[in-house]
């Protein structure tokens, strides 16, 4: 019997630090899969095709939808984003930890299809600090930042309504990362997750 996969969904208002935390979690867990989404938005900063996103045209994205390539897809901030179905298939095959950096609507869709998935909402310590981080990242203009701050309040309310299992406040990065590691560790101890010796008589 092999490990059951751990599908870990991380959602957060843009600029909260979710990508920073997700990347670190992947690097610290050998065999972990980072779900690289398809998107129609152009690359930002030094983002790399295939590593951060798969950057595709609207036509290609529509074809992928028609081919059933996505486990979920959504329209976010004027662009399309989709999670490849192959990520879940690979996680299932290998019993791996798979990390999804997606929004709340995407998290809900995956949770409906895979009720064992675990969703964590990463929160900024305050809206003022979120604004400071977005400005420090210097990848968005003023109008985009104002739109992202407005969207942040909606995203947080949606996540609460959707029943996200965990809330992690990313004030101090080290402490937020330790919280995420604790979540992963606790989830591996969830009843039935790990294979046990057959003579223990437990499934
Ligand atoms: P997201 O993926 O949620 O949009 P990023 O991981 O790109 O966010 O982080 C946004 C910015 O905030 C980056 O410049 C990152 O280095 C910074 N950042 C992340 N976590 C913290 C933290 N705990 N304290 C201060 N700055 C942080
Ligand atoms: P950004 O443009 O800042 O990288 O991402 C914008 C938002 O889209 C973030 O909340 C991010 O988590 C979300 N997102 C990224 N990929 C996907 C995806 O495949 N599906 C869904 N539903 N949301 C995604």
């Amino acid at each position: 019997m092999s490990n059951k996969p751990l599908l870990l969904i991380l959602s957060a208002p843009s600029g909260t630090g979710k990508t920073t935390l997700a990347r670190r979690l992947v690097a610290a867990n050998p065999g972990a899969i980072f779900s690289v989404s398809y998107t129609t938005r152009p690359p930002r900063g030094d983002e790399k095709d295939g590593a951060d996103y798969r950057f595709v045209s609207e036509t290609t994205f529509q074809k992928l939808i028609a081919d059933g390539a996505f486990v979920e897809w959504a329209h976010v901030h004027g662009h399309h984003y989709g999670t490849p179905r192959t990520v879940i298939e690979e996680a299932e095959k290998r019993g791996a930890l798979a990390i999804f950096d997606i929004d709340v609507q995407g998290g809900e869709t995956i949770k409906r299809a895979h009720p064992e998935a675990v969703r964590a909402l990463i929160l900024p310590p305050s809206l003022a600090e979120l604004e400071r981080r977005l400005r420090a990242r210097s990848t968005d203009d003023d109008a985009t930042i104002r739109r992202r701050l407005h969207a942040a309040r909606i995203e947080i309310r949606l996540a609460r309504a959707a029943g996200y299992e965990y809330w992690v406040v990313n004030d101090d990065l080290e402490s937020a990362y330790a919280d995420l590691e604790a979540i992963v560790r606790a989830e591996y101890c969830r009843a039935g997750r790990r294979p046990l010796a057959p003579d223990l008589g437990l499934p």
Side-chain angles (χ1 to χ4, degrees), residues 37-44 47 53-58 61-62 65 70 72-82 103 105 140 144 147-148:
S37 295
Y38 284 84
T39 185
T40 58
R41 89 150 159 75
R44 196 166 59 204
E47 286 179 332
Y53 282 104
R54 293 188 175 97
F55 298 99
V56 294
S57 66
E58 187 60 43
F61 197 92
Q62 292 303 326
I65 294 177
F70 299 131
E72 65 77 35
W73 60 269
H75 200 247
V76 189
H77 303 316
H79 300 287
H80 279 120
Y81 295 80
D103 75 347
Q105 47 178 333
D140 298 315
T144 307
R147 195 158 30 103
R148 285 189 189 275

Side-chain angles (χ1 to χ4, degrees), residues 1-12:
M1 190 174 64
S2 63
N3 258 335
K4 292 205 173 113
L6 175 52
L7 309 180
L8 179 64
I9 293 158
L10 302 180
S11 301

Side-chain angles (χ1 to χ4, degrees), residues 8 10 18 21-22 25 120 122 168 175-185:
L8 179 64
L10 302 180
K18 164 181 46 129
L21 288 164
L25 203 56
I122 318 288
V168 173
S175 162
Y177 181 69
D179 287 350
L180 266 187
E181 274 193 317
I183 290 168
V184 170
R185 193 149 185 176

Side-chain angles (χ1 to χ4, degrees), residues 63-171:
K63 185 173 181 321
L64 288 164
I65 294 177
D67 291 348
F70 299 131
V71 57
E72 65 77 35
W73 60 269
H75 200 247
V76 189
H77 303 316
H79 300 287
H80 279 120
Y81 295 80
T83 304
R85 201 174 284 287
T86 48
V87 171
I88 295 190
E89 288 164 2
E90 196 190 336
E92 282 173 342
K93 200 160 68 195
R94 293 208 271 117
L97 166 65
I99 297 165
F100 301 84
D101 173 341
I102 60 176
D103 75 347
V104 172
Q105 47 178 333
E108 272 195 288
T109 308
I110 293 184
K111 180 79 180 173
R112 262 197 305 275
H114 301 273
E116 73 287 2
V118 176
R119 297 164 301 166
L121 175 68
I122 318 288
L123 291 157
S126 66
L127 212 62
E129 171 61 15
L130 178 60
E131 180 170 0
R132 199 197 63 72
R133 285 183 199 170
L134 284 171
R135 293 197 185 283
R137 191 167 68 175
S138 10
T139 49
D140 298 315
D141 60 25
D142 200 56
T144 307
I145 288 178
R146 268 186 277 119
R147 195 158 30 103
R148 285 189 189 275
L149 287 172
H150 175 69
R153 304 168 77 131
I154 297 172
E155 185 83 348
I156 291 168
R157 265 188 257 132
L158 281 176
R160 192 174 60 177
Y164 265 53
E165 287 75 29
Y166 292 100
W167 293 353
V168 173
V169 176
N170 183 17
D171 186 353

